[in-house]
Amino acid sequence: MNMDTEQSYHFNVMRRAIEVIDAGGPGMTLDALAAEMGMSAAHFQRLFSAWAGVSPKRYQQYLTLNHAKALLAARHTTLAAADAAGLSGTGRLHDLFVRWEAMSPGDFARKGEGLTIHWSWFDSPFGPALVMGTDKGICGIGFAAEAGTEATMEDLTGRWPGATFVEDQVRLRPWALAAFGAERNEAAPLYLIGAPFQIKVWEALLAIPSGHVTTYSDIAKAIGHPRAVRAVGTAVGRNPISLLIPCHRALRKSGGLGGYHWGLPVKRGILAWEAARAEA
């Protein structure tokens, strides 16, 4: 595993900060928060400003549980009304990854039999990330900050048990750099491996701009199954391409975060990170 440790260090600090803020509340001063993190206030401020693009105080507001409700109220995207003009400008990550192709239902039913999937570990703003891809594009991204590397590998490989898995960092590196924002001029195609209903849900997720959110019920309406909210939630949770197919932008109608396959601290971290960049 060959990963640059700087961004992982930033995420680990942020992850600890979430725990500290949850324990002490959003009213903690910068000095108190930095002390809990075992850092000087100046170093902590520099670290967070570099990672999030905003001050630690502002970032604290994004990390609070109430931020999801505020985000839903202020940046709720109704997918039925989303169009290309609305997506451009606010959806930098979305703009990079609109090229996608879906595996045929017959191929999906064979559970990856005859398919070669390349994999490698990379650093990401949200900790170690397992990236997988076929010759057609990225088919999987999993985050190991909460689950651990072994469980993350078992999770993704278990989705396509008939496939042949080959480690190949060189092949995947350009796509991974583009995925995590290190390479602005590169784009990565996506290869969606799922059942037809799941792919409909994932296509709807791709229409949500960065820094915005929607609800599970809105997704259900957008794909023509307004009563299938629970099934939509399951399909969202089974999304194999984290971040790029933005399942983290799906919230409960109440404004609650709902679940997240790779851990709620990661979901909160991603939402806060995107919100900070949208308002910076």
Side-chain angles (χ1 to χ4, degrees), residues 4 16 19 29 32 49 65 79 98 102 109 112 125-126 139 147 181 190 194 205-206 214 221 224 230 244 261 267:
D4 170 21
R16 287 172 52 212
E19 297 173 356
T29 65
S49 295
L65 291 173
L79 295 175
V98 292
F126 313 104
C139 66
L190 305 183
L205 290 171
L206 283 166
T214 195
K221 292 174 186 175
R230 181 170 295 181
L244 304 187
H261 190 75
K267 181 173 185 173

Side-chain angles (χ1 to χ4, degrees), residues 40-64:
S40 69
H43 177 61
F44 183 69
Q45 174 124 357
R46 282 195 303 271
L47 181 65
F48 258 79
S49 295
W51 187 86
V54 294
S55 70
K57 185 65 176 178
R58 183 63 172 156
Y59 196 69
Q60 280 177 260
Q61 297 170 7
Y62 294 133
L63 287 176
T64 61

